[in-house]
């Protein structure tokens, strides 16, 4: 059974940043990643220091991996299926029937976005279709923008986007019930409402959105879109296997300074611990956790020891 000082589960932004920091401490680090994280489908991030023209999730991940590998971090493409603590060691088992043992664990398993399989939508993510208004609201400044969503969730997104553009349309793709109060708010804000499924996202030769076609055949022209669907999946199964404490929203509860969970030796970061959905916050989580993992591996006391 292969052993490591720390096994990082999830090679997204938080996991990569933790790996870089721990690798520079010269610890034996293994990153196990399924390669299906949300950062792997984002075509561009626009609000990260040092990337004024944006950077794709894959580019950021590839550079992060190269950075970590320079200090000896090992990467495995696999899916962790079970995680248990036996005495003071952690046993990790994977889909490929591999077993590993670690002194410490960092969980960066994040969330999986609920995006319906609308034709062409994935090819536009991050370039003309967005998920997070805090990240990308700026990108729709004064542009005609269509919100693809369901029920009151889509209404909330459409109203929020008025901060950047007054040319907002809402397609209730799921045809979920919209409360009367929300309907009135759309009307007062002059946001047209279409209660019909989207058949496909229309794109140009560069895979940028030009509009959407509804199942009726009607075409709604727009240069930008936002999705607004409930049901994002928080990937906390491994944390729950260990008995890690979660809050009322099922996010992992961590110590605010160290990022350690209630299970001694288990740290977490990124979207698993808070609904921030920000690359830069995930980076901070990874670095902060790694610093305190290093101290634990050296046997140094943590703030609550």
């Amino acid at each position: 059974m292969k052993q490591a000082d720390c096994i990082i589960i999830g090679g997204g932004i938080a996991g990569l940043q933790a790996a870089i920091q721990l690798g520079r401490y010269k610890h034996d680090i293994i990153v196990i990643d399924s390669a299906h994280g949300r950062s792997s489908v984002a075509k561009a991030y626009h609000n990260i220091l040092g990337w004024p023209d944006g950077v794709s999730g894959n580019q950021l991940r590839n550079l992060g991996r190269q950075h970590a590998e320079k200090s000896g971090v090992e990467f495995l493409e696999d899916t962790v299926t079970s995680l248990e603590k036996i005495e003071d060691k952690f046993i990790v088992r994977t889909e490929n029937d591999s077993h590993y043992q670690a002194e410490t664990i960092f969980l960066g398993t994040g969330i999986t976005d609920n995006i319906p399989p609308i034709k062409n939508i994935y090819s536009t993510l991050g370039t003309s279709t967005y998920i997070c208004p805090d990240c990308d609201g700026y990108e729709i400044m004064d542009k005609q923008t269509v919100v693809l969503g369901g029920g009151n969730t889509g209404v909330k997104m459409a109203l929020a986007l008025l901060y950047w553009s007054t040319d907002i349309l809402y397609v209730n793709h799921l045809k979920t019930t919209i409360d009367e109060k929300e309907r009135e708010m759309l009307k007062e804000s002059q946001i047209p409402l279409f209660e019909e499924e989207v058949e496909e996202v229309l794109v140009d030769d560069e895979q940028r959105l030009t509009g959407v076609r509804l199942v009726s055949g009607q075409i709604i022209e727009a240069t930008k879109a936002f999705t607004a669907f409930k049901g994002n999946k928080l990937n906390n199964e491994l944390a729950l296997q260990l008995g890690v404490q979660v809050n009322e929203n099922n996010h992992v509860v961590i110590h605010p300074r160290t990022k350690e969970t209630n299970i001694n030796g288990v740290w977490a970061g990124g979207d698993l611990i808070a609904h921030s959905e920000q690359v830069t916050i995930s980076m901070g989580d990874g670095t902060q956790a790694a610093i305190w993992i290093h101290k634990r591996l050296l046997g140094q006391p943590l703030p609550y020891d």
Side-chain angles (χ1 to χ4, degrees):
M1 185 185 298
K2 193 163 187 177
Q3 301 184 23
D5 293 327
C6 181
I7 290 180
I8 296 171
I9 304 175
I13 305 305
L16 284 169
Q17 191 66 58
I20 290 168
Q21 186 71 22
L22 286 167
R24 289 169 61 83
Y25 285 130
K26 304 308 295 179
H27 293 300
D28 292 324
I29 308 301
I30 297 174
V31 178
I32 303 177
D33 181 48
S34 66
H36 297 306
R38 72 192 317 242
S39 58
S40 65
V41 299
K43 298 294 187 297
Y45 294 112
H46 299 279
N47 64 337
I48 302 174
L49 176 68
W51 301 95
D53 297 320
V55 58
S56 73
N58 277 329
Q59 183 181 3
L60 204 58
R61 287 165 65 99
N62 289 338
L63 289 171
R65 176 168 177 166
Q66 291 173 30
H67 194 163
E69 286 177 333
K70 286 179 66 175
S71 56
V73 175
E74 181 180 356
F75 283 79
L76 303 172
E77 187 171 323
D78 203 345
T79 300
V80 175
T81 55
S82 73
L83 177 59
E84 62 179 325
K85 188 174 186 180
I86 300 177
E87 296 180 351
D88 60 344
K89 306 293 183 184
F90 296 94
I91 306 301
V92 176
R93 294 180 175 84
T94 73
E95 205 170 67
N96 291 338
D97 201 28
S98 298
H99 296 182
Y100 305 91
Q101 179 177 294
E103 300 290 325
T104 59
I105 295 289
F106 177 83
L107 296 172
T109 47
I111 62 173
T112 301
D113 292 298
N114 177 26
I115 301 176
I118 300 170
K119 183 179 179 181
N120 295 330
I121 194 169
Y122 279 92
S123 68
T124 65
L125 288 177
T127 57
S128 49
T129 299
Y130 311 102
I131 298 170
C132 168
D134 294 311
C135 307
D136 294 310
Y138 180 85
E139 302 303 317
I140 71 161
M141 191 74 71
D142 300 324
K143 295 181 175 65
Q144 187 171 42
T145 302
V146 59
V147 174
L148 310 178
N152 293 337
T153 302
V155 174
K156 183 179 178 181
M157 176 67 80
L159 294 171
L161 294 177
L162 290 173
Y163 182 84
W164 291 279
S165 175
T166 57
D167 197 353
I168 306 294
L169 309 93
Y170 174 34
V171 178
N172 185 11
H173 171 75
L174 299 181
K175 295 186 285 188
T176 312
T177 300
I178 298 175
D179 294 338
E180 193 57 40
K181 178 182 176 181
E182 277 65 28
R183 287 182 181 276
E184 189 60 33
M185 292 171 72
L186 288 176
K187 186 176 180 180
E188 291 176 358
S189 301
Q190 298 183 327
I191 297 175
L193 171 63
F194 302 83
E195 301 206 66
E196 191 177 336
E197 290 182 20
V198 177
E199 185 175 82
E200 70 174 309
V201 169
L202 304 175
V203 297
D204 61 18
D205 293 339
E206 296 181 350
Q207 294 299 298
R208 292 183 179 273
L209 181 142
T210 61
V212 298
R213 177 182 287 113
L214 305 182
V215 292
S216 65
Q218 181 179 358
I219 292 176
I220 298 173
E221 294 183 354
T223 57
K224 300 291 182 178
F226 262 86
T227 64
F229 298 100
K230 280 186 175 181
N232 288 350
K233 180 180 177 294
L234 189 63
N235 301 314
N236 62 2
E237 296 87 352
L238 296 174
L240 294 175
Q241 284 182 24
L242 278 176
V244 168
Q245 181 184 356
V246 297
N247 62 21
E248 64 277 5
N249 295 320
N250 290 317
H251 286 98
V252 167
V253 176
I254 45 86
H255 187 279
R257 184 175 178 190
T258 68
K259 307 299 178 183
E260 190 173 20
T261 71
N262 63 301
I263 302 299
N264 191 281
V266 179
W267 279 258
D271 291 329
L272 187 63
I273 67 172
H275 190 68
S276 61
E277 301 186 2
Q278 294 289 325
V279 167
T280 48
I281 292 175
S282 293
M283 287 178 175
D285 289 344
T287 297
Q288 194 169 0
I291 289 170
W292 293 100
I293 292 171
H294 170 64
K295 292 181 186 296
R296 176 64 58 75
L297 290 171
L298 293 184
Q300 296 178 4
L302 271 62
Y304 35 85
D305 288 348

